[in-house]
Amino acid sequence: DVNTDQTVASLTNSATGTVDQDADITADAGGVSNAGTYMLGGDITSTGNVEQNGTMTVEGDRRIDVIGDETGLTGTGTIALTTA
């Protein structure tokens, strides 16, 4: 459970994991990788790739900013939007 803004080298959530993010996360070149359940209640800013292969539920108005030269939002997972 992430309740305060964080800066991390990378964030990896395994297929059996759950992330409940209620604050902003800034990830370095290691990026963000989700294969499990991810509840996004804050923004993601990442220099590395954001790989979404699990289930992500976006709560409210959020941003996923991928700012690296050769990175982006990739994956085959689902992104569901909830009402604000």
Side-chain angles (χ1 to χ4, degrees):
D1 199 10
V2 180
N3 292 315
T4 58
D5 292 353
Q6 303 281 321
T7 298
V8 297
S10 65
L11 188 149
T12 300
N13 185 33
S14 69
T16 59
T18 299
V19 171
D20 184 3
Q21 177 188 335
D22 295 318
D24 295 343
I25 286 184
T26 301
D28 292 335
V32 176
S33 176
N34 178 51
T37 300
Y38 202 117
M39 294 171 284
L40 182 62
D43 297 337
I44 295 174
T45 302
S46 181
T47 303
N49 194 50
V50 175
E51 184 177 18
Q52 165 49 22
N53 288 313
T55 301
M56 180 180 283
T57 302
V58 179
E59 304 162 348
D61 294 333
R62 303 294 170 223
R63 294 178 58 98
I64 299 175
D65 290 321
V66 184
I67 57 176
D69 290 338
E70 298 179 19
T71 59
L73 174 61
T74 63
T76 58
T78 61
I79 299 176
L81 306 176
T82 62
T83 57

